[in-house]
Amino acid sequence: MKHLIKIDSTPHGVLGVRHTGLDQQYCEAGELVILEWQPDAKWGLQEAHYIDGDGNVTAIDLTRVKVDGNDVVVFTMPDKDIVVGGTFKRFVLSDWAGFFDALGFGEFDGTATYQDGDIVIYKGVLYQFNADHSGAWTGADAEPISVAEVLEMLSHQNDVYGVSYDESLSSTAKPRVGNMALHQSLPIQSGMKRCVVKDDGTVNYYLDANDSTLKADGTAADLTGADGQVMVEIPEHWRKVTKTDGGVVTALISAYWQQGWKHVPTYYVGAYQATVDTTLSTKNKLCSVANTTNAFRGGSNNSAWDGTYRDQRGTPRTGLTMANYRTYARNRGSKAWNFLLYDLYIDIYWLYVIEYANTNSQADFDSSLTSEGYHQGGLGNGASTLNDSKWSAFNSYNPFLQCGITNTLGNNSGEVSYTMPDEYDTGNPTTIKVCSYRGIENVFGQINHWLEGVKVNDDKTYRCSNADDFSSAASQGNYYLEGNKVATDGYVKQMFIGKDGSIMPTAVGGGSTTYYADYHYRANAGPASWFGVAVGGVALSGARDGLASVLATDSVSASSAYIGARL
């Protein structure tokens, strides 16, 4: 049965202006109808309804999207004649190709590159890719998607938030853009939470939001590794980071699908800097646990220091190569376990910048909100304020903080005070602040962290996202060339950005409280040398530490007392 879309006066006395040639539009009940209103719709009224036999007015649920800046709604035709209120531009009953073309979907192009989540039309059918794709159509990495599903996804076009700034401006404060209400609720960042994850990758249980020594149900948690690894869950989202030729960087995130954005599936990152479980000497395992027994000795694994002020049990493990960390991570059971990927570290960086609208991650921590209800400040200095010679004499630059020191913060960002043993500076108490970002303890400070899937040669950055191809070889292998990085030490002034927000520096000349406010360390070597990339900074580097602090001076096979990893 066909029903008439009536262009008529509504019960409220508002006229739905008749559009020439469209005064007798019919469609089947259950059919999807597109209605585009004029941008200057009279009275601001944009609604549709039907009237039942008893004269009751029932509003029709409208899915709202934007096409070329205009308000477009889609609704399902009820089994009634309907009345439209507002000044409309056109009805489209079946021109789906034109509609989706206006949204930028278009026909599949075998020469183009598509990202996980992108939607295309192939032989008249809508498909959504479930993985990154390039080359000819195979169908193996795409699934059909209905018009109704696409329209529901499009209804979240306004559910985005982020920052946008000109890199030539020195202030670390960045203007917020997008949906301002989301800068208050922070739907992605507020979904970050500590949990205990089993070796098969499933969550054993979540931890209390304010005290990680407890499970979410209030009972005692076991953080020693017996129940699994202590991780931070970061929820699925979509990200788009761009930089114009003029140097304007825009970083946006959304909890909902957005066409052409990078899909970031739910992932897990170690809540603590990693240590190593040596229970089975033939199968060491990289860990994120709070365990102070002999099998979890950190640093250089020096048993002679057990029971002394330099006791390394329970601290992060350092002095290992990237190849060691890779093997020990995968000893957990699969290639799904790695030390922290560069791809994921990029995401953590932009989550922080968007939350605080500030690229100076060492700005003073401030738990209060702005008058608008936004987060402000930074994460504080972190464990970055030790004296070089005193740390060297104290324990030869090894880590000194036991994993889990921020358990009292739970999932919250903040700082915990720690007083160094008296032997560090006899008679002069030294207190440092240990930071945590949304449950990620020491997100910078104490030691640098190696990153997986990135290495440097001749001041060029090479990347890899395929776990099968991760390598510490002094060669390119299956890593792709991202681009040039800056060939000079100094405070970062510009970043590469590229297609996914890469934070590799391309210019220095900033300062400790300007531009990106963190430091780039560069090795003076030629094309014969390949270097790993470590981030965060160490306990003696002060203002040079931070989320954008990049160390590219140690070879891909190097080990160091002040470089560790994160699961």
Side-chain angles (χ1 to χ4, degrees):
M1 178 180 181
K2 292 183 178 294
H3 290 274
L4 174 66
I5 299 176
K6 297 167 63 177
I7 312 305
D8 204 350
S9 296
T10 73
H12 307 294
V14 179
L15 180 66
V17 179
R18 180 170 298 178
H19 192 291
T20 304
L22 290 176
D23 56 340
Q24 295 294 315
Q25 291 279 351
Y26 290 88
C27 66
E28 296 282 357
E31 185 175 356
L32 290 170
V33 180
I34 301 174
L35 172 63
E36 184 175 342
W37 272 295
Q38 293 282 14
D40 59 347
K42 291 184 178 180
W43 305 286
L45 180 70
Q46 296 178 351
E47 60 94 37
H49 60 264
Y50 63 84
I51 305 172
D52 64 21
D54 297 323
N56 299 314
V57 177
T58 301
I60 295 173
D61 186 25
L62 304 176
T63 297
R64 299 178 181 272
V65 297
K66 287 276 189 183
V67 178
D68 296 332
N70 295 329
D71 290 318
V72 174
V73 296
V74 183
F75 58 88
T76 302
M77 186 67 185
D79 191 18
K80 302 284 183 182
D81 290 348
I82 71 168
V83 179
V84 176
T87 309
F88 66 92
K89 186 175 181 181
R90 60 176 174 151
F91 284 111
V92 183
L93 299 180
S94 58
D95 184 19
W96 295 109
F99 177 66
F100 288 122
D101 184 64
L103 290 167
F105 294 168
E107 291 286 340
F108 171 77
D109 181 353
T111 66
T113 298
Y114 296 94
Q115 296 189 89
D116 175 17
D118 283 354
I119 294 174
V120 296
I121 301 171
Y122 181 71
K123 293 186 177 181
V125 178
L126 282 167
Y127 286 89
Q128 184 175 30
F129 286 106
N130 52 34
D132 292 347
H133 177 94
S134 61
W137 180 268
T138 66
D141 53 3
E143 299 177 356
I145 186 169
S146 71
V147 170
E149 289 175 305
V150 173
L151 294 172
E152 165 60 24
M153 292 158 71
L154 288 170
S155 69
H156 296 289
Q157 286 175 308
N158 191 45
D159 292 328
V160 304
Y161 61 111
V163 295
S164 185
Y165 57 93
D166 186 336
E167 273 193 319
S168 68
L169 301 178
S170 64
S171 174
T172 61
K174 307 304 181 185
R176 290 178 165 92
V177 295
N179 188 327
M180 292 299 137
L182 299 182
H183 283 284
Q184 298 170 329
S185 61
L186 298 167
I188 300 166
Q189 291 92 333
S190 62
M192 295 171 64
K193 51 189 175 182
R194 285 177 173 173
C195 55
V196 175
V197 177
K198 296 187 288 187
D199 280 355
D200 64 7
T202 61
V203 175
N204 194 353
Y205 50 81
Y206 291 96
L207 299 175
D208 182 85
N210 300 304
D211 182 352
S212 296
T213 66
L214 302 176
K215 297 179 182 179
D217 64 7
T219 59
D222 188 333
L223 309 180
T224 66
D227 288 351
Q229 304 308 298
V230 187
M231 308 293 283
V232 175
E233 180 181 273
I234 300 178
E236 178 185 36
H237 57 279
W238 282 257
R239 183 182 78 243
K240 183 177 183 180
V241 187
T242 60
K243 182 161 73 168
T244 68
D245 291 341
V248 175
V249 176
T250 301
L252 299 169
I253 54 177
S254 177
Y256 299 95
W257 168 91
Q258 305 290 334
Q259 175 74 349
W261 291 30
K262 181 176 181 61
H263 178 217
V264 183
T266 298
Y267 64 95
Y268 298 87
V269 60
Y272 313 135
Q273 294 170 329
T275 190
V276 173
D277 178 0
T278 61
T279 301
L280 294 176
S281 59
T282 57
K283 197 173 184 179
N284 292 340
K285 295 181 180 181
L286 199 64
C287 298
S288 179
V289 299
N291 190 318
T292 58
T293 62
N294 292 347
F296 295 83
R297 189 180 293 110
S300 59
N301 192 26
N302 187 347
S303 60
W305 288 354
D306 289 358
T308 73
Y309 65 89
R310 295 183 289 192
D311 198 327
Q312 295 180 319
R313 290 173 296 182
T315 65
R317 183 70 180 271
T318 58
L320 299 173
T321 66
M322 287 194 291
N324 293 146
Y325 287 120
R326 183 178 303 113
T327 298
Y328 297 166
R330 294 180 175 186
N331 281 345
R332 302 225 69 85
S334 75
K335 291 180 180 179
W337 288 101
N338 295 282
F339 61 94
L340 183 57
L341 307 186
Y342 182 55
D343 288 358
L344 301 183
Y345 189 77
I346 289 172
D347 192 62
I348 293 168
Y349 177 80
W350 290 112
L351 288 173
Y352 163 79
V353 170
I354 290 171
E355 176 169 356
Y356 286 90
N358 195 330
T359 52
N360 182 6
S361 54
Q362 286 187 292
D364 291 343
F365 178 73
D366 188 343
S367 61
S368 66
L369 303 178
T370 68
S371 59
E372 300 91 348
Y374 307 146
H375 284 211
Q376 61 182 326
L379 300 175
N381 289 324
S384 68
T385 55
L386 292 191
N387 174 272
D388 187 335
S389 61
K390 291 178 181 177
W391 185 21
S392 175
F394 175 70
N395 72 351
S396 303
Y397 299 119
N398 278 278
F400 48 89
L401 297 168
Q402 290 186 337
C403 301
I405 190 171
T406 64
N407 281 341
T408 55
L409 294 176
N411 301 332
N412 302 293
S413 298
E415 298 174 302
V416 170
S417 294
Y418 173 78
T419 300
M420 295 291 294
D422 187 59
E423 288 83 356
Y424 168 77
D425 188 5
T426 305
N428 298 299
T430 301
T431 298
I432 63 172
K433 295 291 185 69
V434 183
C435 70
S436 181
Y437 175 61
R438 295 281 182 177
I440 306 175
E441 180 177 285
N442 279 315
V443 69
F444 59 80
Q446 181 175 221
I447 56 173
N448 278 299
H449 305 88
W450 287 120
L451 293 180
E452 179 69 284
V454 60
K455 51 188 176 181
V456 169
N457 171 255
D458 199 22
D459 293 312
K460 297 179 177 64
T461 302
Y462 294 83
R463 291 178 58 184
C464 178
S465 299
N466 187 339
D468 291 329
D469 296 327
F470 291 154
S471 168
S472 302
S475 60
Q476 181 173 348
N478 290 326
Y479 283 51
Y480 67 88
L481 173 63
E482 176 179 77
N484 295 329
K485 73 170 186 65
V486 66
T488 312
D489 283 5
Y491 281 100
V492 180
K493 191 173 182 180
Q494 295 177 10
M495 289 180 173
F496 183 80
I497 303 302
K499 64 181 182 180
D500 67 346
S502 176
I503 66 171
M504 291 301 287
T506 55
V508 295
S512 62
T513 58
T514 59
Y515 298 100
Y516 290 97
D518 291 329
Y519 205 81
H520 167 249
Y521 300 86
R522 180 249 184 187
N524 185 17
S529 300
W530 287 80
F531 299 94
V533 174
V535 293
V538 300
L540 59 78
S541 296
R544 294 185 176 193
D545 285 5
L547 283 170
S549 177
V550 173
L551 179 77
T553 62
D554 290 67
S555 76
V556 289
S557 59
S559 61
S560 170
Y562 52 78
I563 304 179
R566 188 181 296 271
L567 196 59

